[in-house]
Amino acid sequence: MSIAFLVTTLVIVATPGTGVIYTLVAGLSRGRVASIVAALGCTLGIVPHMVAAITGVAALLHTSTLAFQLLKYLGVTYLLYMAWATLKDKDAIATEQETISRPARQVIFSGILINILNPKLTIFFFAFLPQFVRPGEPNSVLRMLELSAVFMLFTFIVFAIYGILAASVRNHVTSRPKVMAWMRRVFAVSFVALGAKLAFAV
């Protein structure tokens, strides 16, 4: 496992995106356990992209404008839904108990959808993984699976840290309704901005 791969992976994973925003929302609104569950969901959402890249389906997405655009706009729609849900979900944010108001499977499912509905992630894997596999290397598929597993591990750990840090200041934030109202708006705007970025991706 090269240092270059580990450093690049850490930088990519730590850069705030939809998964990080979702995990932060979970940590602030529902506590530490929910943020870890959300991080798990986002991590599992990587699996289809990893499989697509390794099996070559990413090449189809890259060459098929219709397939790419369809998946892209499904992702945009879901991000806009997340923005609306963040503004609407006031009850969960108001509670001071560390509970998951939604069932864990729903939190995981939302995290999975956030990553699945991002075709750029598939193409990223398609372009990223082969750079760390030597040409003609035997068992190259196993090597790519190994690299993907490390990427997923980093994703889970970094996202969980983001969520736990958010949960650690939860009581200070939830006791201030005006602060929470502004944070809901900030997160909602973040989802809208990420949706706009995805919408204009080529």
Side-chain angles (χ1 to χ4, degrees):
M1 195 70 62
S2 70
I3 297 297
F5 174 79
L6 296 176
V7 172
T8 304
T9 296
L10 182 59
V11 170
I12 292 167
V13 169
T15 301
T18 52
V20 169
I21 298 296
Y22 179 66
T23 307
L24 288 173
V25 170
L28 281 171
S29 63
R30 298 178 178 87
R32 182 176 55 192
V33 175
S35 70
I36 294 173
V37 172
L40 176 61
C42 291
T43 303
L44 292 176
I46 294 173
V47 174
H49 298 285
M50 174 191 72
V51 173
I54 293 174
T55 59
V57 176
L60 174 63
L61 272 178
H62 190 62
T63 56
S64 173
T65 303
L66 178 61
F68 181 85
Q69 294 296 327
L70 178 61
L71 189 58
K72 181 175 76 172
Y73 285 112
L74 283 173
V76 171
T77 301
Y78 191 70
L79 285 173
L80 293 177
Y81 164 76
M82 290 300 298
W84 174 80
T86 300
L87 285 174
K88 181 175 178 289
D89 193 13
K90 298 179 181 179
D91 292 336
I93 291 178
T95 183
E96 294 185 0
Q97 289 183 306
E98 185 173 320
T99 59
I100 305 177
S101 57
R102 291 189 298 166
R105 64 179 179 275
Q106 290 184 16
V107 178
I108 291 176
F109 183 68
S110 293
I112 291 173
L113 274 183
I114 281 176
N115 271 346
I116 284 181
L117 296 176
N118 183 1
K120 300 293 283 187
L121 192 54
T122 298
I123 295 173
F124 162 75
F125 265 93
F126 188 68
F128 178 65
L129 290 182
Q131 296 181 39
F132 300 95
V133 179
R134 292 189 301 272
E137 180 177 335
N139 300 319
S140 58
V141 172
L142 290 177
R143 175 65 172 167
M144 291 180 76
L145 286 171
E146 177 189 359
L147 294 172
S148 299
V150 172
F151 186 91
M152 290 176 64
L153 178 62
F154 272 48
T155 299
F156 176 72
I157 292 173
V158 171
F159 281 24
I161 289 172
Y162 271 123
I164 290 170
L165 288 175
S168 68
V169 298
R170 180 174 177 244
N171 288 337
H172 300 288
V173 175
T174 54
S175 62
R176 297 169 174 82
K178 289 185 178 179
V179 173
M180 280 312 304
W182 275 105
M183 291 197 72
R184 277 197 300 271
R185 292 171 192 147
V186 168
F187 284 129
V189 169
S190 298
F191 280 124
V192 171
L194 290 166
K197 182 180 178 182
L198 180 58
F200 289 104
V202 294

